[in-house]
Amino acid sequence: MTAEAGAAGADAGGPGSAPERILAVDVGTQSVRALVFDPMGTVVASARIPIEPYISPQPGWAEQDPELYWRTLGEACRRVLGDPAVDRRAVVGLTITTQRSTVVVTDASGRPLRPAIVWLDQRRTEGLPFVGGAIGLAFRALGLRETVSGFMADCEANWLRANEPGTWRAIGHYLGLSGFLTHRLTGRFADSTAAQVGYLPFDFERKRWAAAGDWKWFAAPVDPAWLPELVAPTTPLGGLTPTAALATGLPVGLPVIAAAADKACEVLGSGALTPDVASLSYGTTATVNTTTARYIEPIRYVPAYPAAIPDAWTMEIQIYRGYWMVEWFKREFGHREVALAEAQGIEPEVLFDDLVRAVPAGSMGLTLQPYWSPGVRIPGPEAKGAIIGFGDVHTRAHLYRAILEGLAYALREGAERTTARTGVPVTSLRIAGGGSQSPAAVQLTADVFGLPVARAHTHEASGLGAAIDAAVGLGLYPDVRTAAGAMVRVGEVRDPNPATHRLYDELYRGVYRNMYGRLQPLYREIRRITGYPPAS
């Protein structure tokens, strides 16, 4: 079907037929959302089911029952199909996007052998032998020994092999969450190339499993036979099995289309398709992404990730536990707003925006560096968070605003790094994620960058990106860029305030940019004295 026919069908439908609908399921860290889209990218109906992000059998562990994701996916689908706005006969395809780097190991039949290791997990395997031969010598010469050792220590496969030998011997399939759910839906052990983000033997440039002899097979020692077949986004994965049809309320054989991981789908759903448009995600991990038509590492030796567009990559800079700091503030200092919001029947974030507006831009010098967790390259493995500039005038409102400002500074720094790599200046911003629902945070971001910030017409950017891939796979559009042109619309745009931008620009250049370099020696001393973060 052509794009024009799809668009017409969205409005009227043919005689005796219902207009086409796409069901996209977004399996996140804190919820599972089922979203029904029309071919113009409008959300017709949605259902959101909260889930426990993880359980911690031991400090630093983050695990979850894989069956919980599957049960909740089915429940979300059934719930959204029960919405009066949805004619289930009109649903022509299903697609999923999931959280990244969550590992599920199963037996040969696809039955989970243990809880999923969630991406927030912090367990490590210390003391592993380093990569040998010429490759190992090259890593040492390039100063990458700690980076590669960190990859190996964080790799879930190394931990499983060392600590759960019985599980290791029983593994039939080593999957990401998207691969596990794809098997449950279609009976096929397959996954999207654009979902392979994590400690895996994956060739990011060629979008395939690494070649035989690649060092990644030593660092992530999985059996190649355990890994799923990889397909590009927009590729049909198969049809719903009878068991999956019963679980979801959808018909047997309904096409399932490959999309991408949640961040990649979010970039697509926000409309950031070229390197001059940066997609900012104010999620649990805050990110800045730009899309490129060739493989460019955002930081040397840190890979670019496959985009939700089959012939593109996203250059991503992460602020790990980025918008998590807002949740931290809410838990530690936001009891008053949480209680008032519950009494008034509104979201606490509405009242937190009042805190932002209660203090001036720049938080009267209170400046936060949001490196709450160590990094791989920039920041380095010794990094810690910092807040400087305290005075007796500062209140928790200043602290909250400083958190948002620190995140915006870090994202601006990330965008400047990608610009230095591509040679293409960022001229506009698209924002998505939970934090994008805060008008104060969006305006603050525009002021820090000195650029207009736009939100897509729907805050469900990840689901929309997945639906765009599905629309192409179902033949509603000829390619992803055409589909995005029809399905993504700019909603609210916030322009920067010139005077406020000048203030932020001085603080960013004169204070924030200097913080990490000045504090790094102290971070190293803290690490040496306390042993945290542990050296690889």
Side-chain angles (χ1 to χ4, degrees), residues 16-27:
S17 67
E20 293 145 322
R21 301 290 183 247
I22 299 164
L23 176 52
V25 182
D26 185 352
V27 183

Side-chain angles (χ1 to χ4, degrees), residues 42 96 164 179 276 328 383 412 420 464 522:
T42 301
I96 62 170
E164 294 184 2
D276 60 309
W328 169 81
R412 174 177 166 179
L464 176 57
L522 299 181

Side-chain angles (χ1 to χ4, degrees), residues 152-353:
M152 295 171 65
D154 289 333
C155 176
E156 298 87 355
N158 283 315
W159 188 92
L160 289 168
R161 185 172 64 169
N163 294 277
E164 294 184 2
T167 299
W168 185 256
R169 288 191 297 270
I171 293 175
H173 299 279
Y174 192 96
L175 307 167
L177 180 58
S178 54
F180 170 72
L181 294 174
T182 294
H183 175 256
R184 285 296 175 90
L185 290 167
T186 67
R188 182 183 177 192
F189 289 106
D191 202 1
S192 169
T193 54
Q196 307 314 306
V197 178
Y199 302 104
L200 295 164
F202 184 70
D203 185 331
F204 289 94
E205 182 173 4
R206 294 169 180 81
K207 302 182 182 180
R208 66 190 187 197
W209 297 123
D214 191 296
W215 69 272
K216 291 175 184 174
W217 293 104
F218 176 84
V222 300
D223 186 329
W226 297 347
L227 296 170
E229 177 188 355
L230 296 179
V231 303
T234 75
T235 302
L237 289 161
L240 283 185
T241 67
T243 300
L246 183 63
T248 60
L250 293 161
V252 174
L254 183 78
V256 180
I257 309 298
D262 54 2
K263 290 292 183 185
C265 284
E266 192 171 80
V267 175
L268 175 57
S270 68
L273 308 185
T274 53
D276 60 309
V277 181
S279 171
L280 306 182
S281 175
Y282 275 29
T284 306
T285 292
T287 60
V288 53
N289 280 272
T290 51
T291 301
T292 60
R294 60 191 178 96
Y295 181 81
I296 306 172
E297 294 176 342
I299 300 171
R300 200 175 180 197
Y301 307 120
V302 174
Y305 298 137
I309 305 171
D311 57 355
W313 289 262
T314 60
M315 298 175 65
E316 177 174 301
I317 304 289
Q318 298 183 4
I319 313 301
Y320 191 67
R321 291 183 179 268
Y323 221 73
W324 168 89
M325 284 188 284
V326 171
E327 294 302 312
W328 169 81
F329 179 90
K330 183 191 301 184
R331 183 178 67 248
E332 301 295 336
F333 302 103
H335 303 126
R336 178 177 179 273
E337 282 73 22
V338 170
L340 281 174
E342 184 175 357
Q344 297 176 25
I346 59 176
E347 292 297 319
E349 285 72 17
V350 174
L351 301 180
F352 287 133
D353 269 12

Side-chain angles (χ1 to χ4, degrees), residues 30 33 263 266 280-287 322-327 330 349-350 352-353 356-357 400 403-404 407-408 411 430-446 453-455 459-461 492 494:
Q30 301 184 69
R33 300 186 298 282
K263 290 292 183 185
E266 192 171 80
L280 306 182
S281 175
Y282 275 29
T284 306
T285 292
T287 60
Y323 221 73
W324 168 89
M325 284 188 284
V326 171
E327 294 302 312
K330 183 191 301 184
E349 285 72 17
V350 174
F352 287 133
D353 269 12
V356 176
R357 289 186 283 265
Y400 184 70
I403 289 173
L404 298 184
L407 286 171
L411 291 169
R430 302 293 176 89
I431 192 166
S436 69
Q437 300 310 297
S438 161
V442 175
Q443 183 62 54
L444 183 153
T445 301
V453 177
R455 288 190 290 200
H459 67 275
E460 296 287 3
E492 179 188 23
R494 294 265 178 163

Side-chain angles (χ1 to χ4, degrees), residues 33-192:
R33 300 186 298 282
L35 307 152
V36 176
F37 288 92
D38 70 18
M40 299 307 294
T42 301
V43 178
V44 175
S46 65
R48 177 184 181 274
I49 301 177
I51 57 174
E52 187 72 22
Y54 58 85
I55 55 175
S56 295
Q58 295 188 35
W61 289 23
E63 298 186 342
Q64 188 50 272
D65 180 5
E67 301 292 354
L68 172 69
Y69 297 118
W70 173 239
R71 289 194 304 271
T72 311
L73 181 153
E75 182 182 350
C77 288
R78 294 192 305 273
R79 188 175 296 184
V80 79
L81 291 173
D83 189 303
V86 177
D87 180 349
R88 69 182 62 205
R89 297 170 302 174
V91 176
V92 294
L94 171 69
T95 187
I96 62 170
T97 180
T98 73
Q99 56 181 273
R100 308 181 299 185
S101 302
T102 290
V103 172
V104 182
V105 292
T106 76
D107 63 15
S109 69
R111 180 179 63 85
L113 296 170
R114 68 174 321 281
I117 301 178
V118 178
W119 66 274
L120 286 163
D121 192 275
Q122 297 179 42
R123 76 190 78 187
R124 293 169 62 85
T125 312
E126 308 292 354
L128 294 167
F130 192 63
V131 180
I135 294 294
L137 291 173
F139 284 146
R140 288 182 172 92
L142 292 167
L144 295 174
R145 189 187 193 289
E146 189 164 24
T147 298
V148 175
S149 293
F151 177 101
M152 295 171 65
D154 289 333
C155 176
E156 298 87 355
N158 283 315
W159 188 92
L160 289 168
R161 185 172 64 169
N163 294 277
E164 294 184 2
T167 299
W168 185 256
R169 288 191 297 270
I171 293 175
H173 299 279
Y174 192 96
L175 307 167
L177 180 58
S178 54
F180 170 72
L181 294 174
T182 294
H183 175 256
R184 285 296 175 90
L185 290 167
T186 67
R188 182 183 177 192
F189 289 106
D191 202 1
S192 169

